[in-house]
Amino acid sequence: MLLREIVKDFPTKEKFDGEIEINQVEFEPDKVKDNCLFICLKQDFETAKEYIQKAISHGAKAVVTSHVGLEKLGAEAVCVDDIRMAFSVFCSNFYQNPENKLKIIGV
């Protein structure tokens, strides 16, 4: 799936290259594989930088962060204001909105 399809209409702080092919979405840097979108949930700048560098070294092609200034670490960066909301929306988009396919029955 292309990065632009995952991000869709979510508000971002800066422009990014949406033509990157993504095969996995991950928030733990040790579990990142090639062509992965890494979503950095860490709030402080130094820890976020460390996690992003680790994810890139494991093969992340794009990262999502709330910190401007981390986009020059070697992968495409998507900067957002609300990282937790982005995590929720991007995962839902990546897995093609599975919540829409659920049938709910009340008893």
Side-chain angles (χ1 to χ4, degrees):
M1 176 176 276
L2 293 177
L3 181 59
R4 67 176 158 76
E5 295 170 345
I6 296 170
V7 176
K8 286 189 182 173
D9 298 323
F10 197 86
T12 59
K13 294 180 183 179
E14 299 176 355
K15 294 188 184 238
F16 60 91
D17 178 14
E19 297 303 313
I20 297 171
E21 186 67 32
I22 301 296
N23 297 330
Q24 173 188 1
V25 176
E26 189 57 65
F27 67 96
E28 293 183 37
D30 293 325
K31 293 185 178 181
V32 168
K33 296 180 181 158
D34 287 339
N35 298 327
C36 178
L37 172 63
F38 176 66
I39 300 177
C40 186
L41 299 176
K42 294 297 176 188
Q43 296 299 318
D44 65 282
F45 186 84
E46 288 304 317
T47 306
K49 183 177 178 180
E50 179 183 319
Y51 274 43
I52 290 170
Q53 288 174 328
K54 192 173 197 178
I56 292 170
S57 72
H58 283 102
K61 295 294 181 201
V63 296
V64 179
T65 180
S66 58
H67 300 287
V68 176
L70 293 177
E71 61 274 358
K72 294 179 175 68
L73 293 176
E76 191 63 39
V78 178
C79 296
V80 297
D81 285 322
D82 188 347
I83 192 71
R84 300 213 178 260
M85 180 61 79
F87 181 55
S88 172
V89 171
F90 295 173
C91 286
S92 182
N93 290 343
F94 181 77
Y95 292 106
Q96 299 169 347
N97 302 302
E99 69 276 8
N100 295 338
K101 299 172 186 165
L102 292 174
K103 296 188 189 289
I104 299 174
I105 299 173
V107 180

